[in-house]
């Protein structure tokens, strides 16, 4: 059983990042996601969960869509319960004067 800190990713482009993936067979995961905007410009964030891996998420998989994350601000989403083989993806879009995103994402939780 894994617990505590499950993953950390620094997102610096507008691509999808798999921040949690493939819960172990026969296990359920409960995770929390914390994202910190390290830049001086706002970012838009997108968060999805799915039972399959993908490149572009289907519309029905979004947990957050086009949510504004201000400069030096923090976003937190907790209590996400996932079945075996589930994946969670995160993407940002920079806004304002920024030329790239700079968001630190931390995933905590446990698998049982």
């Amino acid at each position: 059983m894994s617990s505590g800190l499950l993953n950390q990713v620094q997102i610096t482009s507008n691509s999808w990042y798999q921040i949690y993936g493939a819960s172990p067979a026969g296990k359920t995961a409960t995770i929390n996601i914390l994202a910190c905007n390290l830049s001086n410009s706002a970012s838009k964030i997108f968060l999805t969960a799915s039972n399959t891996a993908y490149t572009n998420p289907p519309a029905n998989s979004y947990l957050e869509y086009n949510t504004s994350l201000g400069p030096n601000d923090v976003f937190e989403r907790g209590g996400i319960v996932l079945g075996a083989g589930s994946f969670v993806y995160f993407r940002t879009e920079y806004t304002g004067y920024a030329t790239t995103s700079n968001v630190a994402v931390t995933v905590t939780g446990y698998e049982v």
Side-chain angles (χ1 to χ4, degrees):
M1 173 177 82
S2 295
S3 64
L5 181 62
L6 300 176
N7 194 16
Q8 290 183 303
V9 179
Q10 186 160 356
I11 298 177
T12 58
S13 72
N14 291 351
S15 301
W16 285 104
Y17 286 76
Q18 181 181 310
I19 60 170
Y20 181 81
S23 308
K27 302 280 185 181
T28 300
T30 301
I31 66 169
N32 307 301
I33 298 168
L34 299 110
C36 181
N37 185 354
L38 303 175
S39 73
N40 292 325
S41 294
S43 289
K44 298 288 186 178
I45 62 170
F46 304 81
L47 178 66
T48 67
S50 177
N51 289 330
T52 57
Y54 50 74
T55 304
N56 291 311
N60 64 349
S61 68
Y62 282 94
L63 302 174
E64 294 288 332
Y65 183 84
N66 210 26
T67 301
S68 183
L69 183 59
N72 307 309
D73 205 356
V74 176
F75 163 85
E76 182 176 359
R77 176 61 98 93
I80 300 170
V81 179
L82 304 166
S86 296
F87 297 85
V88 178
Y89 292 86
F90 193 96
R91 180 172 69 91
T92 67
E93 288 182 3
Y94 55 85
T95 60
Y97 299 105
T99 55
T100 61
S101 296
N102 191 10
V103 176
V105 178
T106 299
V107 180
T108 62
Y110 54 92
E111 300 164 335
V112 293

